[in-house]
Amino acid sequence: SPEHIELRRQVARFIEREVEPNAMAWDEAGCTPREVLRQMAQLGWLGLTVSPGYGGAGADMTTNVVFQEALSRSTSGGFIITVLVHTDMASPHLVHGCSEDQKRRWLPRIVRGDAITAVAITEADAGSDVAAIRTRAVRDGTHWVLNGSKMFITNGALAELVFVAARTDAAEKGSRGLSIFAIERGTPGFRVGRTLKKSGWLASDTAELVFEDCRVPADHLIGEEN
């Protein structure tokens, strides 16, 4: 459609002007600058499929795929994955699984680029096998207390909001008894253990995340418990 052709042109111009001249420096720095992500947010690209009620563009999935394909023309794989983990891997947890209050609390910040997101499932001993997750969350009054660690988390150091998978029912086996929590950067007991060096995608920060008696408000549970 004409709209999709124009979107491809806009993304191509943005990559030519803002990304390609700086890609090598971003690789050396090990991350994509926040200012660039905010520029993309101002263009409406960090919330393409999010409802306009939360500041998004309300576009359909075809338009989103057009954007993804256009973005992938960049030579910087790290830049591309920084954006797409935020828009299409992490923040959809909030779009599809959360309550209305949670949407109003976080989605506008996500769309504006004020809260970059990450999803923390992978663990050093479990890989991305959710059945082997060891991170635990135990209910304590109005909070959940998380203990464990996550490894190889894209946007781990950059993100203000991380969707963390933890085992909430120790008696259940395999992929049962798991829950997702939205955890904000700065929450006591949550820290970046270290950033990790890679052989590619260098402009995408990758980190180990550590949870030590991390107290998360009960209303940060995304979707249903277990």
Side-chain angles (χ1 to χ4, degrees):
S1 71
E3 292 81 6
H4 291 163
I5 292 172
E6 180 56 27
L7 176 59
R8 289 184 189 277
R9 288 173 176 167
Q10 290 176 359
V11 174
R13 285 197 297 268
F14 184 87
I15 290 172
E16 181 182 4
R17 296 173 183 174
E18 305 296 338
V19 179
E20 296 306 301
N22 302 304
M24 189 66 71
W26 297 351
D27 275 356
E28 292 173 357
C31 65
T32 296
R34 176 56 57 93
E35 298 74 33
V36 176
L37 301 176
R38 286 210 173 98
Q39 288 179 45
M40 298 181 73
Q42 291 171 1
L43 292 165
W45 295 342
L46 297 191
L48 271 179
T49 60
V50 174
S51 167
Y54 308 105
D60 60 17
M61 188 52 66
T62 301
T63 301
N64 197 42
V65 171
V66 168
F67 170 72
Q68 294 169 357
E69 289 181 342
L71 198 70
S72 71
R73 301 302 296 271
S74 170
T75 62
S76 175
F79 159 74
I80 297 166
I81 204 64
T82 296
V83 176
L84 294 185
V85 163
H86 173 67
T87 58
D88 288 270
M89 285 186 67
S91 60
H93 285 78
L94 195 59
V95 174
H96 299 302
C98 70
S99 68
E100 185 63 28
D101 286 344
Q102 290 169 331
K103 286 182 181 180
R104 295 195 181 281
R105 183 187 311 169
W106 288 308
L107 267 182
R109 291 173 56 201
I110 287 171
V111 170
R112 291 195 305 266
D114 293 336
I116 299 303
T117 55
V119 55
I121 293 175
T122 302
E123 297 182 0
D125 295 329
S128 295
D129 176 13
V130 295
I133 283 176
R134 294 185 178 182
T135 297
R136 288 286 311 279
V138 177
R139 186 67 182 259
D140 181 21
T142 59
H143 287 72
W144 288 88
V145 180
L146 273 74
N147 281 282
S149 63
K150 300 292 181 177
M151 185 62 79
F152 310 125
I153 305 305
T154 302
N155 293 355
L158 182 70
E160 282 85 11
L161 187 64
V162 183
F163 298 98
V164 181
R167 190 165 297 282
T168 44
D169 188 341
E172 289 284 3
K173 302 296 183 181
S175 59
R176 298 173 182 264
L178 298 175
S179 302
I180 295 284
F181 297 89
I183 304 183
E184 295 180 321
R185 186 168 67 186
T187 300
F190 168 38
R191 62 182 173 87
V192 175
R194 58 190 166 123
T195 55
L196 304 172
K197 294 183 178 181
K198 308 190 298 295
S199 59
W201 283 4
L202 301 182
S204 163
D205 91 78
T206 305
E208 174 192 31
L209 306 181
V210 179
F211 304 90
E212 298 170 324
D213 293 331
C214 177
R215 295 184 62 83
V216 181
D219 63 359
H220 285 220
L221 175 71
I222 299 297
E224 296 181 19
E225 181 182 340
N226 298 324

